[in-house]
Amino acid sequence: MASSASSKHTTEREGLLTNIALSAATGAINMFLTNPLDSLRIRWQCLTSNSGTLGTSKVLPCSVLAYTRDIRATDGIWRGLWLPGLAPNCLGCACSVGVRLGFYPTIRDALCPTGDNQTSAKRSGAMLASGLVAGAAGYTVAAPLFLVKTRLQSQGAQQCAELSKQAHARTEIARLWQQHGFVGLWRGAPILVFRGAVLSASQTAAYDTTKRVCKSNTILDDGPVLHAVASLAGAVSLTTAIIPIDVLLTRYQTASDAEVAQGPTKCVLDIFRREGPAGFTRGWLTLFVRMAPSSFFTFLIYEQLRRLAGYKYLD
């Protein structure tokens, strides 16, 4: 009996470690493919700044498409959108996705075991709670990497000389460390972690729920088509949930030191005063365009890697 319990524990631990590794690989591959969309989102959100990165007085492009054309004409797609922040973004996503997707099934099933008398509300609550916990943990670990990638990506959208002279992750990390110490690497981390927790909870819960509804009602079988449909549902859910936090995080992380010293509350008030409530939804479409392919690739790659590793699809 003891041997059987020990063997089961070892199998569960190996399964967890394998799931974390597969999730980390998923995050890195996905971000390599979608970094141009992330760069475009950051640069577009930074266009409304007034000092440093909170604004400029120049005429803004009339649309995201026009702005994309401007970037392609001046910098090219590779230098202007794909390369900026690529390395820290890939590494950051490997860490965050590795933790949030790697631990998600384990936490969910611990909160609501499969053999339990499950109700829809209880299962949904377990999905949201596990997404929140795993997402917060993942983004806490990756916070310095996401800070660096955001500052590097924003350079094309601002006139701040402090940030425009260098464009390498190691240089930016060294600058932050020299100017602000260890704490400086976690600038905006509370906002990022909150955003990550909301993102993870809204995305994984919508994905998981869509899969379960489609399977239980025999609408679609578990496979790539269902994964694509569920991933788009996750993208809509997470985009709507995080857009206000996303705008605040982008402005705060790319702000000048003087603006940061006044805290995120001042940043919120500045956005509201200059742009009104609509300012907190700025970039919804660019965020969705960024998150839809990301969500699609994340779950498609993740589910197929699980199958290749000999595991069943996420259930």
Side-chain angles (χ1 to χ4, degrees):
M1 184 70 70
S3 176
S4 176
S6 176
S7 176
K8 180 181 178 182
H9 178 71
T10 301
T11 302
E12 289 177 349
R13 183 176 60 185
E14 290 176 351
L16 174 60
L17 293 176
T18 300
N19 197 51
I20 292 172
L22 295 176
S23 300
T26 296
I29 295 169
N30 171 59
M31 189 44 64
F32 179 81
L33 296 173
T34 60
N35 192 60
L37 297 174
D38 197 38
S39 294
L40 178 62
R41 173 184 65 88
I42 294 296
R43 293 180 64 164
W44 178 252
Q45 288 179 337
C46 285
L47 281 178
T48 59
S49 47
N50 213 8
S51 62
T53 62
L54 291 179
T56 63
S57 57
K58 69 177 185 178
V59 177
L60 301 179
C62 61
S63 69
V64 177
L65 185 59
Y67 186 49
T68 305
R69 292 198 192 101
D70 288 345
I71 294 174
R72 185 179 63 181
T74 56
D75 300 327
I77 296 298
W78 174 253
R79 289 182 60 252
L81 292 177
W82 212 310
L83 188 60
L86 180 61
N89 213 3
C90 286
L91 185 55
C93 277
C95 293
S96 64
V97 177
V99 173
R100 72 182 186 88
L101 266 188
F103 283 96
Y104 171 76
T106 301
I107 299 173
R108 180 200 62 191
D109 293 341
L111 293 175
C112 188
T114 306
D116 268 11
N117 219 349
Q118 296 181 6
T119 63
S120 178
K122 183 177 180 181
R123 190 70 184 182
S124 298
M127 292 176 187
L128 286 171
S130 54
L132 280 169
V133 172
Y139 279 86
T140 298
V141 172
L145 293 166
F146 285 135
L147 169 62
V148 170
K149 76 89 186 171
T150 298
R151 290 169 69 89
L152 293 176
Q153 288 173 337
S154 70
Q155 290 179 27
Q158 57 190 339
Q159 304 300 318
C160 183
E162 177 190 1
L163 292 175
S164 63
K165 292 180 181 179
Q166 302 290 345
H168 300 290
R170 284 181 298 177
T171 303
E172 192 62 35
I173 291 173
R175 189 205 320 276
L176 286 167
W177 183 279
Q178 182 179 20
Q179 294 179 351
H180 308 289
F182 180 78
V183 177
L185 296 177
W186 267 264
R187 172 187 287 192
I191 306 171
L192 176 70
V193 171
F194 179 62
R195 173 189 181 274
V198 173
L199 181 156
S200 181
S202 57
Q203 181 190 41
T204 52
Y207 179 82
D208 212 347
T209 300
T210 302
K211 281 189 65 176
R212 287 178 178 277
V213 169
C214 288
K215 288 192 297 181
S216 63
N217 291 281
T218 63
I219 298 172
L220 288 170
D221 293 328
D222 202 353
V225 174
L226 176 55
H227 302 159
V229 171
S231 69
L232 290 179
V236 172
S237 176
L238 78 88
T239 301
T240 304
I242 71 167
I243 184 62
I245 312 167
D246 199 65
V247 171
L248 173 61
L249 179 66
T250 298
R251 303 287 183 85
Y252 187 71
Q253 284 191 328
T254 58
S256 67
D257 290 343
E259 291 164 333
V260 169
Q262 297 177 61
T265 302
K266 180 62 163 56
C267 186
V268 170
L269 294 175
D270 284 344
I271 295 171
F272 187 81
R273 187 181 69 253
R274 293 168 184 160
E275 304 167 58
F280 293 98
T281 62
R282 178 176 178 81
W284 189 98
L285 181 59
T286 56
L287 182 60
F288 178 75
V289 170
R290 153 75 180 87
M291 287 301 183
S294 177
S295 185
F296 174 80
F297 285 125
T298 292
F299 288 110
L300 190 67
I301 294 170
Y302 171 68
E303 297 273 24
Q304 296 310 311
L305 286 178
R306 283 180 63 91
R307 286 297 294 268
L308 290 173
Y311 293 88
K312 64 180 182 179
Y313 289 136
L314 180 66
D315 191 11

